[in-house]
């Protein structure tokens, strides 16, 4: 009776089945009724809602051209990084609304949103964007101020007398 309950490892592996390795996730295209891909990007306190669709490469932020909204060249460069990495500079029109935070955080949020929207529109670009680090949400935020301190960590000036 005890012999029937005892099983060897080979017997157990047969129970498991042949196809025990998990399959890689398959990413599919996610578009809305107008044929656009939508994604939300975040950075610091800024949140960007991004829609991309095939077009001439026009980027519009809060109803303004991105050159007007992000006046500094560094911020415009940050904005276009995912499109440049995917080699899709003049193939998509980008429309986004962004709120919260400062200009630097907003540029990072739009970059994150564009990257996610590109992967929804063309799932094959995921590897390129992931390697560039554009799909990772930068979780660094400002540390809160503590009581008894002048800032988050800075103490008041010490005086012996």
């Amino acid at each position: 009776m005890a012999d029937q309950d005892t099983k060897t490892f080979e017997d157990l592996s047969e129970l498991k089945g042949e196809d025990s390795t998990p399959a890689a996730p398959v990413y599919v295209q996610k578009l809305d009724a107008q044929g656009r891909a939508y994604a939300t990007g975040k950075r610091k306190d800024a949140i960007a809602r991004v829609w991309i669709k095939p077009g001439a490469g026009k980027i519009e932020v809060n109803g303004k051209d991105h050159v007007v909204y992000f006046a500094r060249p560094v911020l415009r460069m940050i904005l276009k990084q995912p499109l440049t990495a995917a080699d899709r500079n003049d193939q998509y029109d980008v429309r986004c609304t962004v709120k919260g935070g400062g200009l630097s955080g907003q540029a990072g949020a739009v970059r994150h949103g564009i990257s996610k929207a590109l992967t929804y529109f063309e799932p094959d670009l995921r590897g390129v964007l992931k390697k560039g680090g554009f799909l990772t949400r930068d979780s660094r935020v400002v540390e809160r101020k503590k009581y008894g301190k002048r800032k988050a960590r800075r103490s008041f000036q010490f005086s012996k007398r």
Side-chain angles (χ1 to χ4, degrees):
M1 196 151 198
D3 293 332
Q4 292 174 347
D5 293 335
T6 308
K7 295 190 184 298
T8 62
F9 287 118
E10 289 80 24
D11 295 339
L12 292 175
S13 65
E14 291 171 6
L15 292 175
K16 193 173 182 182
E18 298 298 320
D19 199 20
S20 61
T21 57
V26 178
Y27 297 101
V28 294
Q29 191 179 42
K30 296 179 188 174
L31 301 178
D32 63 4
Q34 287 85 27
R36 304 174 300 183
Y38 168 77
T40 306
K42 295 182 180 183
R43 169 83 172 94
K44 291 187 176 179
D45 276 342
I47 299 172
R49 301 184 307 161
V50 179
W51 292 268
I52 65 167
K53 63 180 179 181
K58 187 175 177 236
I59 301 176
E60 188 180 290
V61 181
N62 288 352
K64 300 178 184 175
D65 189 43
H66 77 286
V67 178
V68 176
Y69 194 85
F70 294 113
R72 294 198 314 232
V74 174
L75 298 178
R76 291 196 300 264
M77 182 263 302
I78 287 172
L79 198 74
K80 292 184 177 181
Q81 278 179 336
L83 293 167
T84 308
D87 199 28
R88 303 285 192 274
N89 270 331
D90 299 326
Q91 295 182 19
Y92 291 108
D93 284 343
V94 178
R95 202 178 136 260
C96 62
T97 58
V98 63
K99 58 172 132 181
L103 285 177
S104 175
Q106 287 184 351
V110 172
R111 179 181 88 162
H112 185 226
I114 289 173
S115 305
K116 284 172 65 176
L118 273 174
T119 59
Y120 293 152
F121 206 93
E122 285 186 66
D124 299 335
L125 294 177
R126 185 173 171 82
V128 174
L129 295 172
K130 186 85 169 158
K131 190 169 281 194
F134 302 124
L135 295 177
T136 307
R137 196 264 201 237
D138 192 351
S139 60
R140 296 175 296 171
V141 292
V142 178
E143 190 174 349
R144 77 171 189 89
K145 184 196 174 298
K146 279 70 166 195
Y147 59 88
K149 299 279 187 181
R150 202 166 91 188
K151 292 169 63 178
R153 298 188 179 202
R154 169 91 162 89
S155 298
F156 295 107
Q157 184 173 342
F158 175 75
S159 175
K160 200 169 192 178
R161 300 189 209 299

